Amino acid sequence: MVLQKRLDYGFNGYQVPSIPQGSRSARGRGHKKKIENNQICAFDLLATVAGKLLQEQKDSPASTNALAVNDQHAVAKSTVKQEQMDEENQFKIESCDHGSCNKFGSAEELVAGNSSSSFGNYPNKVERGLHGFDKYCEDKEAAEAQKIGSVINGIIPDTCSMEGPMELDMKPHALISSDSSVEVPSCRGHVPHDSFCGRRDDLKVVSRDDDENSSGCTQLSNVTSKGFRSRPRIGDRRIRKLLASKYWKMAPRLKAEDLSNSDGEMKPIHYNRKSSYTRQRSQRNFPFKKRKLFDGSSISTSDGGISSEGISSSPIKGIHGDLTGSGATVHEASGASSSAAGQQATFQLRDSHVKLRIKSFRVPELFIEIPESATVGSLKRTVMEAVTAVLGGGLRVGVLLQGKKVRDDNKTLLQTGICNEDKLDTLGFTLEPNPTNAPASLCTEDPSFQLPNDTAEPIISTRYPTSPVLDPGISIASPDPPATSIGHFVESDHDSVPSPIDISADKTISDSRALVAVPAISVEALAVVPFNRKSRRCEIAQRRIRRPFSVSEVEALVQAVEKLGTGRWRDVKLRAFDNAKHRTYVDLKDKWKTLVHTAKISPQQRRGEPVPQELLDRVLAAHAYWYQQQAKQQAKQQSETCLLL
DNA sequence: TTTAGGG
DNA sequence: CCCTAAA
């Protein structure tokens, strides 16, 4: 069977492609027990999920926290063995089963399929088994799109500690049934309703000015949080590509033999979670260019301080595992919190595996603010982006046991009691903002999630009625939005356009919400990409958020160009956009370029907020005029040159 | 830093 | 918007 990880992004349920069956299980050699197909390493799963959801960045090995091996059996050996394991084949990927694997959530298909979502290249078909996988891995493009986590199936020792996102050294002890699915259901606006744990996690998104100046920024959210920063969307395709390639190198080679290894050896898995970011509409292949930014992004490993604070997203709903091989019984989780249920595990002295099934994760509360005049399509995208922002902004997994957060990542499952059947019932996982985790490389904005206007429909999951789901959130925010948001956005174009969202989480449990403001008019303007100005790592390489030019800006630009011409962008900037810190002369030049293009194409082909034809006519006129002037100038110079010669 | 263009 | 070669 293949392990299916489902990520329901609240809406439809995005399922991670089931991976090649068996997935990789990291097992040391000599493991006596056979790994069940459906078993998946909890950490792996989590990592996977996280990886899927978030983009992880970090690729520096150092930063990772490998799972510590404390196991009685393993400890001593670990050192030595790890090295051995380091080789390439540590994990095995088994081919996918079929049936069960085949159910991919529509969401995924949706995402993958339509729109050049980042998942686009990802195999969304179940069929893709091992073979497909390998093949897939070879495909760079695909690899890029691929999200690391999605396919991992592994086993973890209960002794391992979870920590660093990037690398995981795993030993085969704790198993989670592969069937686990992670669902990130609620993107809806109300947290309260679903907070399981009684605590709400909120992500707050503060829109801020994109650039350096935050002066004019509009703060949509009143809450400030330091703890959580959303990762900048670093989903640059290039970066992703890098990560992807790195990541995939290892995965494919896992062998079956490795699966069985009971010595408790740990096998290091390094994976970088990468984000897949596909450009909307772009058919480009991701050029593999490295960005400067990227370098800077070292990852901070910190996990430290804020470890558990943050937003607790949602606990996992029913976790139950089946012990396939061991005959253990699965207990339905009956967590008081409603969510998690522990599954039981078979404990054998030698290999005790804890099987867990994570049914779903809940997305922290999101607040969305959008003008009444916005289109449904933009709303959908906004929500999608908000979700993506949250997911991609840097989440970490929190473990709750009996209502308490298990903060010590170094404790073994055994020590924490996670392997205890009784406690499993109260075991829960949460998705919370990861303050420290902001590796530039992973910063995200995953376009992949952006659905084309037309294809947006499936966003809402079957579980939730379509409109109903969104309503809550919207209703909350909409009351005042028009005035506020529009006022700021549209009119303030020059100065502070609220776009970037800063997601921060309250240190503790408090609310975190994502506020998404959308300019009334521009459909495309959804500046929802969260980013953290504060985190340097991210900041360095961030791609600026997209801020479509408003009509008034276009007007100002046209006017300035008419007067100054097309070769003096700096002057144009000074003249018309001096206050708009986020508009650089390069931006203006680019905008002019697009305006000229826009003016030349048919209205039907134009996208985005429509620019008055009158302005476009002026654009063409100015363009023609200055083009001509330029030609004259050149001719003049040329003649002069000739004369001199 | 600006320009100018390709991506 | 990004990235860069040139200027």
Side-chain angles (χ1 to χ4, degrees), chain A residues 119-185:
Chain A
F119 297 110
N121 293 324
Y122 190 90
N124 27 7
K125 297 180 181 178
V126 176
E127 296 72 42
R128 169 193 275 281
L130 189 43
H131 323 299
F133 184 73
D134 280 331
K135 197 170 184 182
Y136 172 70
C137 292
E138 296 180 3
D139 178 350
K140 292 181 180 180
E141 291 271 312
E144 180 163 334
Q146 173 77 275
K147 295 217 169 180
I148 298 171
S150 61
V151 201
I152 301 170
N153 201 353
I155 298 173
I156 301 176
D158 27 314
T159 54
C160 38
S161 59
M162 18 192 299
E163 243 301 40
M166 292 294 101
E167 291 185 355
L168 294 178
D169 285 348
M170 313 173 100
K171 283 197 307 184
H173 291 267
L175 300 180
I176 293 178
S177 84
S178 62
D179 204 12
S180 45
S181 62
V182 175
E183 201 179 294
V184 183

Side-chain angles (χ1 to χ4, degrees), chain A residues 384-399:
Chain A
M384 197 64 209
E385 292 201 35
V387 174
T388 301
V390 174
L391 298 179
L395 291 178
R396 55 187 295 158
V397 173
V399 174

